């Protein structure tokens, strides 16, 4: 655990084993926070304006599971960036560019992600949860998973590159042995995301579908979701 | 009262009796502030675009009481979070998760809350204040109060859990005797909200309605509003 | 002029003669900044979505004068708050409440203000500059000026109360003789706004209109605009 | 490269050769960051709401090149402001006004810029990439480039004036010989933008078009794009 001690000047290891290097808020951090917060807000509340009847209110409440899933996913990447900047305190050109890239990816993929989660929850609940989006046949399902894999994979890649950048600056930043270990580990965790996504993308596009069982096209997607669920929930 | 003294280094008790631990702005605070600010802004101004006639302007002005009530409610929870982070200066995993949960709850409930207040003020003013939302019968009224109780209760629960978390870290943070007393007190204040909400929810769903007097269904809701009004206005 | 000196620890008077007390960014400041920035952004760009033809582009460009006037007005109040918090560094309950009140007033009046400026610039340009809003007769004109006076006056009142609050805390903050003079002066400057607005409101509502010359109803509004223009442009 | 050293108090030159003067985040910086972040977010995601069919999803994905170009352009000006404030740490009236001017220009030109890029990418891809905006004849093309030149030029001018302001304060800020050189250089880089834009504007408005080859009207625009592309990609 970490807390900002009363009157203490020396930095201390936080609960993850890192010293604090990025205590002051930089411009790029302020920009990233505002963009993430705004994207999440628009994702959740801009679509259905104030419900104008009890029926619309019921529909709005049913969209909560899909909101929650999208919110969690975006929050995961935001926390990744917040951790990264607190641990390494880097604020150079490469950090700025990678941070802006991450913001850009979040912005372009935020509506497709909502759509994919809407469709998923509608499918899981057998149509009880609403979706504005209906899949027609296997090729639509394939495209949907391809988009999800592309979005998740590229956001994971940008996050991984941030950690790679910190790793390459390890001498300049002054990481000690424990911190180097943890940095290597974090790099690997993020690198898994684009690799899994690539595999999932390939499966989604080319896996043969057993005739009469179109849902087999969803198999790689489901495995992918499952694996990531495990990874995310791990401490 | 508190002010940031010229050149003074030592932390001082603020007007509530707490020392300052969270002087620096953390990433999660920046995120929470941005999300609350957007949510409040969208709640107030996104719905009715620029009024395009004098009539539309009159309607927009009549929505001010409902805006004010929603604004106050959201501001109450924002201030709760701001106080919490200034007092305890916690920035660990649990704090981050509870803060994100609070943001999520605000985002999903902000439009339902506006709707409830619109309906309430329209009802109080006998239809003079506008609402886009018309209640049809007792079951609609029940649902409306249930949603309000759910929203208010869950936001209160998240806020209460933040204080509970600070309480459990009291040794590590180094709270003194007065601060521990105040923390216990704050926990209780927040814990009352979900308890009241639960009671109100139960009444809203199951209270029998006296035939010919459908407004009796609104009774628990009104009691609930009244009690909270008293609690909020207390210093 | 003020700049943040390299390595200098002692606070220095800024170009207005004040010492810096509010160097660190507080939560309420972050909230105020985000809400003002968001309100200004929505005011300018949310209404006309991406122009979809050359004609729509031309219309969008013609709205620039009205954007500029609204932007200036909101920026004036934002700067007033920023100056206030830098000079006095207050962050107590009353400051928080007055700051939230200012945000609320900006949010509810931002669209009416845009509308008033649209109508004004359309009228000045003889209809060449666009407005979505057409005035029909004297009573519409009166209402428009009344809304403007109400918006401007109440925002000025909230700003003035912030300075009054700083004045009442002058001992605790430790204002010196020069700063007390400047604070009194700033209070007066802000107090003029609600007083002028009240006078303008009274004139707008009750001034008799010379038959056949309906624009005489606009007279108090124009005088009001003119006087404030002078005040704003003064150093 | 720059990083915030553990426990180090002395400022250090960053990778561009400047000392850090603007370590603390000022109100105007917070305002600029929030406004830029909203503008970029709205530009990318507010237009096409959640795609409601696979076809709409395909269209949304095809808009990515245009999003990317607009994002890059706005990010360029944001970074210019962030660099400027980190290097010189100025926070006086002129800085505030120039910063607010830059925000205003970004807000009014953000949709026209998206439109220009949409049209450009649609034209380059022979209509495969979507645009909501169809050019009809040479005069539309001319207007489009004129708007782009106006937007780009005026944002460049505002950025250049910020550097000019820092240059005029060079004694007060305490710039050393190397920093003065770099400041002069930065001023020139920004000054090129409005000069090029002016030339491009003149060409766009008055260049004769070879009969039967309407695209020759696009020539100055393309040269302009090309030159800036080179300038932007230079380190």
């Amino acid at each position: 655990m970490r807390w900002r001690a009363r009157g203490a000047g020396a930095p201390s290891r936080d609960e993850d084993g890192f010293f604090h290097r990025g205590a002051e808020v930089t411009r790029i951090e302020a920009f990233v926070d505002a963009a993430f917060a705004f994207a999440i807000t628009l994702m959740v509340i801009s679509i259905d304006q104030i419900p104008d009847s009890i029926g619309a209110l019921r529909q709005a409440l049913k969209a909560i599971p899909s909101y929650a899933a999208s919110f969690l996913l975006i929050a995961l990447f935001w926390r990744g960036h917040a951790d990264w900047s607190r641990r390494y305190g880097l604020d150079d050109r490469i950090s700025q560019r990678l941070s802006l890239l991450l913001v850009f990816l979040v912005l372009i993929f935020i509506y497709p992600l909502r759509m994919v989660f809407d469709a998923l929850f509608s499918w899981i609940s057998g149509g009880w949860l609403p979706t504005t989006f209906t899949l027609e046949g296997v090729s639509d399902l394939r495209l949907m998973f391809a988009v999800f894999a592309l979005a998740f994979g590229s956001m994971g890649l940008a996050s991984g590159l941030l950690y790679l950048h910190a790793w390459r600056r390890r001498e300049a930043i002054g990481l000690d042995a424990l911190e180097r270990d943890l940095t290597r580990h974090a790099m690997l965790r993020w690198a898994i995301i684009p690799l899994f996504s690539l595999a999932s993308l390939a499966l989604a596009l080319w896996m043969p579908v057993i005739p009469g069982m179109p849902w087999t096209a969803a198999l790689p997607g489901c495995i992918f979701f499952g694996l990531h669920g495990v990874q995310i929930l791990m401490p």
Side-chain angles (χ1 to χ4, degrees), chain A residues 48 94 104:
Chain A
D48 303 298
I94 297 176
F104 178 68

Side-chain angles (χ1 to χ4, degrees), chain A residues 63-84:
Chain A
I64 289 179
S66 172
Y67 290 150
S70 316
F71 187 93
L72 263 180
L73 193 67
I74 300 300
L76 181 79
F77 286 98
W78 174 78
R79 208 186 61 184
H81 189 274
D83 284 350
W84 174 86

Side-chain angles (χ1 to χ4, degrees), chain A residues 117-129 222 225:
Chain A
F117 280 117
D118 273 356
L120 180 78
F121 281 98
S122 180
W123 181 62
I124 288 176
S125 68
W128 185 74
L129 292 174
C222 293
F225 272 112

Side-chain angles (χ1 to χ4, degrees), chain A residues 47-59:
Chain A
I47 306 120
D48 303 298
Q49 299 290 326
I50 287 197
D52 55 359
S53 69
I54 282 289
L57 178 61
R58 277 213 185 83
Q59 286 302 101

Side-chain angles (χ1 to χ4, degrees), chain A residues 5-216:
Chain A
R6 209 185 328 166
S12 57
R13 278 183 203 273
D14 70 9
E15 54 189 325
D16 305 314
F18 275 90
F19 288 103
H20 282 244
R21 289 176 182 80
E24 41 175 305
V25 173
T26 61
R27 295 290 298 271
I28 187 70
E29 287 171 24
F31 187 88
V32 168
D33 289 348
F36 266 85
F38 197 33
I40 273 187
T41 307
L42 281 180
M43 187 188 64
V44 174
I45 68 179
S46 80
I47 306 120
D48 303 298
Q49 299 290 326
I50 287 197
D52 55 359
S53 69
I54 282 289
L57 178 61
R58 277 213 185 83
Q59 286 302 101
L61 294 176
K62 279 184 180 178
I64 289 179
S66 172
Y67 290 150
S70 316
F71 187 93
L72 263 180
L73 193 67
I74 300 300
L76 181 79
F77 286 98
W78 174 78
R79 208 186 61 184
H81 189 274
D83 284 350
W84 174 86
S85 79
R86 196 173 64 190
R87 287 173 181 168
Y88 306 111
L90 286 160
D91 186 28
D92 53 14
R93 279 281 175 266
I94 297 176
S95 307
Q96 281 185 8
R97 281 174 192 167
L98 289 173
S99 299
L100 287 173
L101 175 65
L102 183 63
V103 166
F104 178 68
L105 293 170
V106 167
L107 293 181
I108 58 173
F109 284 125
I110 205 155
Y111 277 162
L113 282 177
R114 258 297 315 269
M115 198 193 64
V116 169
F117 280 117
D118 273 356
L120 180 78
F121 281 98
S122 180
W123 181 62
I124 288 176
S125 68
W128 185 74
L129 292 174
T131 178
T132 56
F133 172 75
T134 44
L135 298 171
E136 285 162 21
V138 172
S139 70
D140 282 11
L141 209 61
R142 286 184 198 270
L143 181 68
M144 201 185 79
F145 278 112
V147 167
F148 186 83
L150 201 67
F152 202 25
S154 58
M155 289 193 286
L157 185 64
S159 300
L161 288 174
L162 282 167
Y163 276 88
L164 176 63
H165 177 53
W167 173 252
R168 294 178 61 188
R169 299 284 189 219
R170 62 194 179 279
E171 292 297 333
I173 304 173
L175 297 181
D176 66 15
L178 172 61
E179 289 177 320
R180 289 182 188 209
D181 263 13
L182 292 167
T183 302
R184 254 197 310 268
H185 186 241
M187 262 195 298
L188 283 178
R189 269 177 75 103
W190 286 109
I192 289 170
I193 294 181
L195 293 178
F196 271 27
S197 297
L198 216 64
S200 173
L201 187 62
L203 279 170
L205 293 178
W206 296 301
M207 205 180 94
V209 174
I210 302 166
M213 298 168 74
W215 52 267
T216 49

